[in-house]
Amino acid sequence: MSMVWKLRAGCKVNLYLDIVGVREDGYHEIESLFYPLPAPCDILDVGLTRGQGLLLTCSAAALETEENILSRVYSGFAGATGFAPGVSVHLDKNIPMGAGLGGGSSDAAVFLSWLNARAGERALPKSELSRLALTLGADVPFFLGNEPAWVTGIGEKITPVSCDLTSYTVLVVCPEVHVDTKWAYKRWDEMFESARGRPRKELTPENSPIMSLCFTKPPKLWNGFEEVVFHEFPTLYEVKKHILNHFPDACVMSGSGSSFVALFSSPERAVRCAGDMRAEGHACYASSFGEPLVMDS
């Protein structure tokens, strides 16, 4: 019986997100505080097969294409190293797509790490692996480290930080709304045309006054995409208002949406909020002390 590796790919939330400028090549530069969470998560069942090439299946059949990021991971790694074993991957997709949680990037990072761990002498050093990861997606390098970090540039500059949320129950609420990231950036450009070409703000993470706000009690969270997304998707604005009715210590949209992250110092309030969100048809995930929680509502 062949061995199968079960890989867990968690998600990330943005506790702070600002677009600080647009480069001449059209890429947006950001400053953001990324925080990894164990739930929701995707599961990759990975096995070795004879010959070479990747056999990819997925719980969402529409993702079984050569454009899937896992296919691009395999071909990119093979091209960079010459290591191209026969591999089968079944992706059990649980992280909602279009939710701003980085699910595809997380899948890519865990698969890339798995390939590198089995490449022997052809394995890439950390710096080269990060460069390859960036070609696959701006968030992929973050998931290689999978620790809280201040992320700047187009996502390639990662400064790990000591960010402790263990005193909170962290709730991720995922409405059934798909927000396309490319659309969100384009709409942001249209709403804030003056940002194009403006000098990029320089950020020193260790001394940033913005960063200090994220670590106050309670933390002050912010996302520059909210104005853009709420204008187009007013239902998401209503979801945030409903979450705030449960008095979280902080709540903010993650990424370009459509998910929200809420921090509760009161587990009881988190449970009540989760119950109400699920009653409204929104998926809800909770974690505490870095572990997923099963919340009965």
Side-chain angles (χ1 to χ4, degrees):
M1 185 175 180
S2 60
M3 184 173 181
V4 175
W5 288 263
K6 190 173 289 291
L7 311 180
R8 295 178 63 90
C11 66
K12 63 85 183 165
V13 290
N14 303 82
L15 302 181
Y16 178 90
L17 174 59
D18 189 20
I19 301 171
V20 299
V22 185
R23 305 193 315 187
E24 291 183 0
D25 60 8
Y27 281 96
H28 295 76
E29 293 196 317
I30 65 169
E31 55 188 37
S32 184
L33 182 58
F34 280 29
Y35 194 87
L37 289 174
C41 73
D42 292 341
I43 303 295
L44 285 73
D45 290 319
V46 184
L48 293 172
T49 61
R50 293 181 180 179
Q52 293 184 325
L54 172 67
L55 174 62
L56 174 64
T57 59
C58 183
S59 59
L63 296 179
E64 295 176 6
T65 72
E66 293 183 358
E67 297 304 313
N68 187 296
I69 197 169
L70 295 178
S71 297
R72 294 193 285 114
V73 167
Y74 182 88
S75 59
F77 189 79
T81 65
F83 181 65
V87 178
S88 66
V89 177
H90 178 74
L91 172 61
D92 187 7
K93 193 68 184 168
N94 301 302
I95 301 175
M97 293 179 284
L101 298 175
S105 296
S106 181
D107 297 341
V110 297
F111 187 38
L112 189 60
S113 296
W114 182 88
L115 286 169
N116 203 50
R118 272 141 201 90
E121 295 180 353
R122 288 178 283 185
L124 297 175
K126 185 177 180 180
S127 59
E128 292 184 28
L129 194 67
S130 293
R131 280 195 292 271
L132 175 59
L134 186 61
T135 68
L136 298 165
D139 293 347
V140 181
F142 164 76
F143 281 108
L144 288 177
N146 205 43
E147 58 183 330
W150 198 255
V151 178
T152 58
I154 62 171
E156 83 283 9
K157 300 175 183 177
I158 301 171
T159 305
V161 294
S162 177
C163 181
D164 185 6
L165 297 184
T166 55
S167 60
Y168 298 102
T169 298
V170 183
L171 204 61
V172 178
V173 178
C174 301
E176 287 191 351
V177 176
H178 180 98
V179 178
D180 182 76
T181 301
K182 290 183 179 179
W183 168 85
Y185 275 106
K186 181 180 179 182
R187 189 71 185 99
W188 188 91
D189 287 340
E190 293 168 353
M191 290 184 69
F192 305 104
E193 287 185 8
S194 62
R196 183 173 294 276
R198 77 182 182 184
R200 181 175 64 82
K201 293 190 293 183
E202 294 296 334
L203 178 72
T204 305
E206 298 83 2
N207 302 314
S208 169
I210 293 172
M211 191 170 183
S212 66
L213 292 175
C214 297
F215 297 115
T216 56
K217 291 283 187 175
K220 294 176 176 61
L221 312 184
W222 191 78
N223 186 332
F225 272 120
E226 285 193 354
E227 182 179 357
V228 172
V229 173
F230 289 171
H231 181 77
E232 185 74 17
F233 300 93
T235 56
L236 294 180
Y237 175 68
E238 294 299 320
V239 171
K240 182 172 181 178
K241 285 203 303 184
H242 290 170
I243 296 172
L244 292 175
N245 286 340
H246 290 275
F247 303 103
D249 293 67
C251 176
V252 74
M253 189 176 76
S254 183
S256 56
S258 60
S259 64
F260 294 89
V261 55
L263 309 180
F264 289 87
S265 54
S266 165
E268 293 77 17
R269 285 179 180 170
V271 170
R272 286 194 293 271
C273 182
D276 282 357
M277 290 298 104
R278 288 169 179 155
E280 293 178 10
H282 309 312
C284 214
Y285 307 87
S287 59
S288 183
F289 293 95
E291 295 295 332
L293 295 178
V294 176
M295 304 187 74
D296 297 324
S297 55

